[in-house]
Amino acid sequence: MHKKNVLVTGSSRGIGRACALAFAGAGYHVFINCRSSIEKLESLEQEILDAGGSCTKLPGDVGDPDAVRSLFRKITAACGGLDVLVNNAGIAHFGLLSDMTDEEWRTVMDTNLSAAFYCCREAIPYMVSKKRGKIINISSMWGTSGASCEAAYSASKAGLDGLTRALAKELAPSNIQVNAVAPGVIDTEMNGRLDPDERAALEEEIPAGRFGTAEETARLVLMLSEAPSYLTGQVIGMDGGFL
């Protein structure tokens, strides 16, 4: 039986880590990736292997097209190509747009949007040749509604939503499905900057009354990887009723 292969970018922590564990638990060979948190990536690798799973660690900056080409050469050598691509790598930036530097803007866009383009570009030829594949982008509810003091982040995620919908149409004739998950407030390090009072105030705004978990998000991503082929071009909100 063919063992399916998945790449989860930005998988050393948070939603990416939870996705890697979920796919490994479902029998996938998981290519795990991060830019700089190598010790955390090695810890994830060991956890997957200890649980009887299968994985390969591929450190590298997916916001760099040359690094992505190198990463995919290793994937091609190992298994030919991917069955599933999860574009999860992302960073936040908090502050006024007028205070943002050129470099900060480029870094957010490279990590949150360009990285998905680079990875899709490398993954698609193999998927087209096999007439199957799933691409799942991790977006955000702020890509839909926008967030004050997170203009660059919101813009990058709105761009990712547009990429998802357009690429789904482009690849549907090749039986490749492209969808996105748009989480709300998830209990990860990205939201660790909140103090207890800020967290409590934000929880009051969420109809579900709590932050979501990375594991809940990962379960939805795994479901999308096995969803019917007629489901494509969707940005699926998972925000506890926030929007």
Side-chain angles (χ1 to χ4, degrees):
M1 182 177 176
H2 171 68
K3 191 179 188 73
K4 291 184 177 181
N5 297 281
V6 58
L7 167 64
V8 181
T9 66
S11 47
S12 63
R13 59 185 181 177
I15 291 172
R17 185 179 190 279
C19 286
L21 290 169
F23 277 100
Y28 283 72
H29 180 82
V30 187
F31 292 94
I32 55 176
N33 156 267
C34 75
R35 180 177 59 186
S36 56
S37 301
I38 305 303
E39 288 185 5
K40 291 182 179 180
L41 198 70
E42 291 173 344
S43 174
L44 172 62
E45 176 190 39
Q46 194 60 52
E47 185 171 348
I48 290 173
L49 296 176
D50 287 347
S54 174
C55 72
T56 302
K57 65 177 183 294
L58 294 175
D61 180 4
V62 289
D64 176 351
D66 290 331
V68 171
R69 279 187 278 267
S70 175
L71 187 151
F72 271 86
R73 282 195 292 270
K74 294 172 184 176
I75 291 173
T76 299
C79 62
L82 298 174
D83 298 283
V84 180
L85 168 63
V86 180
N87 287 309
N88 167 76
I91 57 172
H93 180 90
F94 304 98
L96 297 174
L97 181 70
S98 56
D99 293 335
M100 194 172 193
T101 67
D102 295 347
E103 183 60 29
E104 288 169 337
W105 174 269
R106 281 193 296 267
T107 299
V108 171
M109 292 300 161
D110 285 348
T111 306
N112 295 3
L113 180 56
S114 296
F117 158 62
Y118 299 142
C119 289
C120 286
R121 184 173 60 181
E122 296 299 319
I124 285 168
Y126 175 83
M127 292 181 176
V128 169
S129 74
K130 296 297 183 182
K131 292 291 187 286
R132 67 171 188 269
K134 306 279 189 180
I135 297 172
I136 304 163
N137 298 320
I138 306 302
S139 184
S140 167
M141 67 176 180
W142 301 135
T144 301
S145 69
S148 175
C149 295
E150 294 186 65
Y153 180 82
S154 300
S156 68
K157 294 301 187 178
L160 193 59
D161 292 350
L163 177 66
T164 298
R165 295 187 178 102
L167 194 56
K169 293 178 179 179
E170 188 172 315
L171 296 178
S174 298
N175 191 36
I176 299 165
Q177 293 76 51
V178 187
N179 292 292
V181 174
V185 186
I186 305 299
D187 198 4
T188 64
E189 287 183 30
M190 190 176 285
N191 287 309
R193 66 185 179 85
L194 299 171
D195 65 35
D197 289 340
E198 290 172 328
R199 182 183 176 104
L202 187 52
E203 285 177 338
E204 288 183 3
E205 293 185 52
I206 303 169
R210 64 175 179 86
F211 288 10
T213 69
E215 289 72 24
E216 287 175 309
T217 311
R219 287 200 295 273
L220 178 55
V221 172
L222 183 60
M223 287 170 60
L224 284 174
S225 74
E226 303 293 345
S229 61
Y230 208 59
L231 179 65
T232 194
Q234 304 305 302
V235 178
I236 300 171
M238 187 176 182
D239 56 25
F242 198 108
L243 296 186

